[in-house]
Amino acid sequence: VAPPQDLQITDPGLLGSLDIEWKPPPNVQTFNECTVKYKFEYRNTGDRDWKVIFTRKLKFRAGFDLSRTAEVKVQTLLEGRCTDDVEVQSDWIYATFQVPLQGKLESEVQNFHCIYHDWEYLKCTWQPGLLSPHGVHYGLYYWYEGLDHAAQCDDYIQDHGINIGCMLQNLSQAEYKDLSICVNGSAAATLLRPLYVTLRLHNLAKPSPPKQLVVSVSASEELHVAWSPPGGETPAQCLEYEVQLAEEQEEAEAAWASVSTQMETALTISRANQSRILCVRVRGRTNIFCADQGFWSEWTQECFSVSRKEDKQLFILIPVILSLSSSLIIFMLIGQCKKRSPAGKPLHTSVG
């Protein structure tokens, strides 16, 4: 069987999503008794593995890192009565695509970093490139499947008049899709290298700390810890938690012991040394059922004083001991006064 024909790659201006199309082999009409399909593979130059798609269509859209060359290849697969039900493969045809990159690599923005806070808004920050001149202007553009065209950020974060970040709202339609981003810079008489990245929001999620932490100690000295999921739009079923316990006299000297849960928001923990000071803290992040990775929330923390049993007993004995001591002192003073006074005569106070 012959390979497909006229493999082409075009850029629709969607920040990395490229359209790949081809034509069927010239003799495809002769294979009426066979199924014709195509094996399509793609990657960026430098990637070790190819991504593989089997399709009967003649067009496919795939995401690439535009800072590197896009590579694609397609072959024909033929199977059916005309091949005695044995799959026959054609040779591969290849094509590449490279966006002309302007400016030096050192002019590209540095330390690009994004966090999806509470599954509500995406905050991306960056620093100017090493060769960025004074008065540079940066713009962030983004696209995901469902948008007609690439959109620009309308809520920038600035430092001394320079855009160094962006806040993107209302991205729920982009969850579990590729989010393509380009940060481009412009300056007078200087060409700056654009930055292209592809993100997955669920892998960048960071929830707020858990709420309403309640800690209690039972009569058997077991610790009961309960909390509520954080606010925001973070799905409760997508959270895992880490609970840490420290039993030391000083928090700075605390040796934290960790216990993890999946979605549960309560724990019972046996206490180790039943110390006087007890600290408990809880944090959460997106679990493995909803994301490949994620950011831990900040800790919520509760420290309080716990009285030991022997401390309680001592607390009860102290007033008893003080009362007995006071009575004994009074009796001793009365006895001393009786010894100094003659029997049956009142005491006289001398005036000097």
Side-chain angles (χ1 to χ4, degrees), residues 18-37:
L18 303 179
D19 289 333
I20 301 96
E21 57 184 327
W22 56 90
K23 295 179 180 179
N27 56 346
V28 69
Q29 293 84 2
T30 62
F31 305 123
N32 294 327
E33 297 181 340
C34 279
T35 299
V36 179
K37 58 183 179 180

Side-chain angles (χ1 to χ4, degrees), residues 52-185:
V52 183
I53 300 293
F54 293 93
T55 181
R56 299 184 66 177
K57 298 180 180 180
L58 299 173
K59 186 174 182 179
F60 190 81
R61 175 171 287 177
F64 296 88
D65 177 1
L66 292 186
S67 63
R68 296 182 290 157
T69 301
E71 302 178 5
V72 301
K73 60 182 181 179
V74 186
Q75 67 176 177
T76 307
L77 303 178
L78 189 64
E79 185 177 7
R81 293 180 60 183
C82 66
T83 63
D84 294 328
D85 295 323
V86 176
E87 184 178 80
V88 177
Q89 302 175 350
S90 74
D91 293 332
W92 292 98
I93 58 171
Y94 298 85
T96 61
F97 180 87
Q98 174 68 66
V99 173
L101 294 177
Q102 62 183 26
K104 295 182 179 180
L105 181 60
E106 292 79 8
S107 66
E108 184 181 274
V109 296
Q110 305 178 87
N111 302 325
F112 183 81
H113 182 68
C114 296
I115 296 179
Y116 193 35
H117 291 273
D118 290 323
W119 294 60
E120 288 185 344
Y121 66 93
L122 181 69
K123 180 180 179 180
C124 296
T125 58
W126 60 84
Q127 294 176 342
L130 296 176
L131 297 182
S132 298
H134 181 71
V136 63
H137 175 76
Y138 290 110
L140 182 144
Y141 303 84
Y142 64 97
W143 180 86
Y144 56 86
E145 185 180 354
L147 293 181
D148 295 332
H149 53 81
Q152 183 177 183
C153 172
D154 57 7
D155 186 9
Y156 284 105
I157 302 168
Q158 292 191 334
D159 180 29
H160 295 92
I162 298 177
N163 294 339
I164 60 165
C166 170
M167 304 277 283
L168 293 177
Q169 309 276 353
N170 303 318
L171 292 177
S172 60
Q173 297 299 317
E175 292 171 3
Y176 296 100
K177 297 179 181 178
D178 286 339
L179 176 64
S180 301
I181 288 181
C182 173
V183 180
N184 203 354

Side-chain angles (χ1 to χ4, degrees), residues 245-257 273 275 277 279 281 301 303:
L245 167 69
E247 297 185 79
E248 293 293 340
Q249 296 295 333
E250 298 292 340
E251 183 184 353
E253 302 173 1
W256 295 97
N273 53 25
S275 64
I277 302 298
C279 292
R281 61 187 185 184
Q301 187 165 317
C303 292

Side-chain angles (χ1 to χ4, degrees), residues 287-330:
N287 60 32
I288 59 174
F289 304 108
C290 296
D292 298 325
Q293 59 190 15
F295 296 104
W296 283 107
S297 73
E298 303 301 324
W299 288 104
T300 181
Q301 187 165 317
E302 182 76 20
C303 292
F304 52 92
S305 177
V306 179
S307 298
R308 296 180 182 176
K309 290 180 179 179
E310 54 268 30
D311 295 334
K312 296 176 183 178
Q313 294 170 355
L314 181 61
F315 182 77
I316 295 171
L317 287 175
I318 286 174
V320 176
I321 294 172
L322 289 175
S323 178
L324 291 174
S325 300
S326 300
S327 300
L328 182 60
I329 291 171
I330 292 171

Side-chain angles (χ1 to χ4, degrees), residues 26 40 70 146 163 233 238 241 279 310 336:
F40 166 64
N163 294 339
E233 298 298 323
C238 287
Y241 300 96
C279 292
E310 54 268 30
Q336 291 292 331

